[in-house]
Amino acid sequence: MDEADVIVVGAGPAGSSAAYHLATAGVDVLLLEKTRFPREKVCGDGLTPRAVHQLVRMGIDIKAPGWMRSRGMRWVAGEHRVHIDWPALGSYPDFGLSRSRHDFDDILARRAVAAGARLREGVKVTSPVTDRAGRVTGVTAAAGPADTARADEPAVYRAPIVIAADGASARLALALGLQRDPKRQIATAARRYYRSPDRSQDEYLELWADLRYPGTDHYLPGYGWIFPMGDGRVNVGLGALPHRRHGNADLRTALDHWLARTPHAWGLREENAEGPVRSAALPLGFNRHPLYTRGLLLVGDSGGMISPWNGEGIAQAMEAGEVAAERAALALALPQGPRREQALLNYPVEMNRRWGRYYRLGNAAADVVFSRSGFQPILNRYVMGSPFLLKTLARLLANLTDTPSRDAIDHLLNTVVRLVPAPAVRRR
């Protein structure tokens, strides 16, 4: 039986971020990961300046080999192609990054370990442990510590606070009865790597908005991406919402139809593919509530924190992990009882303050616009021909604004978001 001040379940970006910030605060944290590093993960591998900001806060060496920098985005819609550089803001860097999730998560986990976190790989958490009052006091796992007689015998890990960073499966949340909100959208993404020296060193993350359902004239409610990896490969994929009328699209067929349109010199053909097409679900817009209950905090995909605006999840996971760590560290500094509980209850309040209005607006946009016709109607010739509108839309989609506002775009976007009624914080 292992004990800690805090147990973090899942060593993805959310879990490793939480473990790192807890460890730097002097908290004894146990980080449990069901697989062993390095490992694959379905992702676009593109990181916006918001994600880069979180990497810097963790002290990750982003100048080391393997990191590919991006100047901005290239949007493709019909005959229109535009370049939008990442904005120069006071709060975020003016560049993005690309890095394969094959070793990205490993880098974050090792950084958490270097800060003092205890990492256990190959430990599949199966359920929460609760006391007689129903409060979470630890977790059970299918694999025990390496020094046990049998590697597959059940184990119990105990802590007064547990952070669930166990991904879209949300095993711990479901065990406590925290169901997904059926009104919230769940997108699907599919990606594949291709050898493409011609595109691998591109300075821009390329996004295509004019994709269609295979064999129809209906626009796909999502977009395609081509992200340079800097190692001779590109990450190519599609992300889409279920269409209001036509349901889920066959993303693998849509991917084949799209890539057939690309120039042959890019190399995005079957003979240059590396590995199969892999897909994953993307829980959007705070689709699970409450984010805290009875000693359990939800971060990242387990709390449905992927942005409904663009499908980005890494920046959100890392930021939520930091906030959860701050609230947990503060709670542990207080005596057990109502004061500690109040500090933990502040976690969903803070996440709602940061993203509540922005996500509420994004959920409405996903329901009314994106799930009906994708991004194509928004990226019309008027928008594509206006630098101001393009910059405004890009910063809205990527949630890149300064507070207080530094320019007219900041002022416009911050004002729009403030006008959205704040959603209520759900407690249980």
Side-chain angles (χ1 to χ4, degrees):
M1 188 162 63
D2 248 323
E3 295 185 356
D5 293 331
V6 178
I7 290 174
V8 179
V9 180
S16 290
S17 172
Y20 168 81
H21 291 289
L22 283 165
T24 56
V27 175
D28 178 21
V29 55
L30 184 60
L31 179 59
L32 305 178
E33 167 58 36
K34 66 180 179 180
T35 61
R36 296 187 182 276
F37 293 113
R39 54 141 167 83
E40 280 290 343
K41 185 75 173 179
V42 177
C43 184
D45 298 336
L47 304 170
T48 66
R50 197 176 186 99
V52 178
H53 174 70
Q54 290 300 318
L55 293 175
V56 172
R57 290 183 64 79
M58 284 185 65
I60 301 294
D61 182 7
I62 57 176
K63 295 182 180 179
W67 297 98
M68 177 67 186
R69 292 201 177 196
S70 64
R71 289 180 54 185
M73 297 178 287
R74 180 187 301 113
W75 287 355
V76 180
E79 300 299 320
H80 301 282
R81 292 172 180 262
V82 295
H83 294 81
I84 309 166
D85 287 350
W86 298 118
L89 302 172
S91 302
Y92 304 102
D94 62 351
F95 62 91
L97 293 169
S98 296
R99 181 96 191 200
S100 170
R101 290 291 295 274
H102 180 71
D103 65 354
F104 176 83
D105 290 10
D106 191 15
I107 291 171
L108 299 190
R110 301 308 165 191
R111 183 61 182 159
V113 170
R118 293 184 284 143
L119 172 65
R120 299 288 177 83
E121 299 176 63
V123 177
K124 184 177 180 180
V125 171
T126 54
S127 63
V129 175
T130 58
D131 61 16
R132 292 182 178 180
R135 186 177 183 83
V136 175
T137 59
V139 297
T140 59
D147 58 356
T148 56
R150 292 181 55 195
D152 60 347
E153 68 182 37
V156 177
Y157 301 88
R158 294 193 181 276
I161 298 173
V162 174
I163 294 178
D166 48 353
S169 63
R171 185 187 297 269
L172 292 178
L174 288 173
L176 292 184
L178 306 183
Q179 301 295 325
R180 178 181 66 85
D181 185 347
K183 297 179 182 179
R184 294 286 180 266
Q185 298 274 14
I186 291 187
T188 306
R191 69 102 172 101
R192 197 178 197 185
Y193 293 104
Y194 290 85
R195 296 184 299 277
S196 178
D198 187 63
R199 301 301 309 275
S200 184
Q201 299 294 328
D202 196 342
E203 293 184 305
Y204 290 88
L205 305 179
E206 185 160 298
L207 305 173
W208 289 53
D210 62 345
L211 308 186
R212 300 176 186 269
Y213 276 83
T216 74
D217 292 330
H218 304 298
Y219 284 111
L220 194 72
Y223 63 87
W225 69 76
I226 303 174
F227 292 168
M229 303 305 298
D231 59 1
R233 301 180 303 157
V234 290
N235 181 315
V236 181
L238 296 174
L241 294 164
H243 196 282
R244 279 293 185 182
R245 293 180 56 190
H246 309 292
N248 288 306
D250 182 346
L251 292 187
R252 299 190 181 207
T253 302
L255 183 65
D256 290 339
H257 283 230
W258 168 40
L259 297 186
R261 296 168 47 194
T262 62
H264 197 274
W266 291 4
L268 307 183
R269 300 294 186 269
E270 184 65 31
E271 61 270 18
N272 296 317
E274 288 194 354
V277 177
R278 299 183 183 275
S279 59
L282 306 178
L284 305 175
F286 285 150
N287 79 340
R288 198 179 302 278
H289 292 280
L291 296 177
Y292 168 75
T293 184
R294 293 176 283 160
L296 182 73
L297 297 89
L298 309 184
V299 297
D301 290 5
S302 68
M305 293 185 177
I306 294 177
S307 171
W309 288 100
N310 63 358
E312 180 185 14
I314 292 179
Q316 290 75 8
M318 295 180 69
E319 187 171 335
E322 182 178 10
V323 175
E326 290 175 349
R327 297 306 181 270
L330 174 60
L332 290 169
L334 299 170
Q336 188 172 359
R339 291 174 61 195
R340 177 180 290 189
E341 186 68 8
Q342 188 58 45
L344 294 171
L345 285 168
N346 188 252
Y347 168 65
V349 174
E350 174 61 17
M351 296 313 303
N352 191 55
R353 184 191 69 81
R354 294 186 181 214
W355 302 338
R357 288 181 168 89
Y358 176 72
Y359 272 19
R360 189 172 197 174
L361 186 61
N363 286 329
D367 290 339
V368 177
V369 181
F370 301 147
S371 65
R372 299 176 187 273
S373 49
F375 289 90
Q376 176 64 21
I378 299 175
L379 299 181
N380 54 56
R381 60 190 182 92
Y382 300 106
V383 173
M384 297 290 273
S386 169
F388 177 80
L389 292 178
L390 283 172
K391 291 178 181 179
T392 302
L393 182 58
R395 284 161 68 172
L396 173 63
L397 295 176
N399 196 13
L400 293 174
T401 59
D402 269 330
T403 304
S405 303
R406 291 168 58 94
D407 59 20
I409 294 178
D410 274 357
H411 182 71
L412 173 62
L413 294 180
N414 289 335
T415 300
V416 169
V417 171
R418 278 198 302 269
L419 292 175
V420 177
V425 177
R426 301 184 192 179
R427 298 184 178 182
R428 182 173 173 178

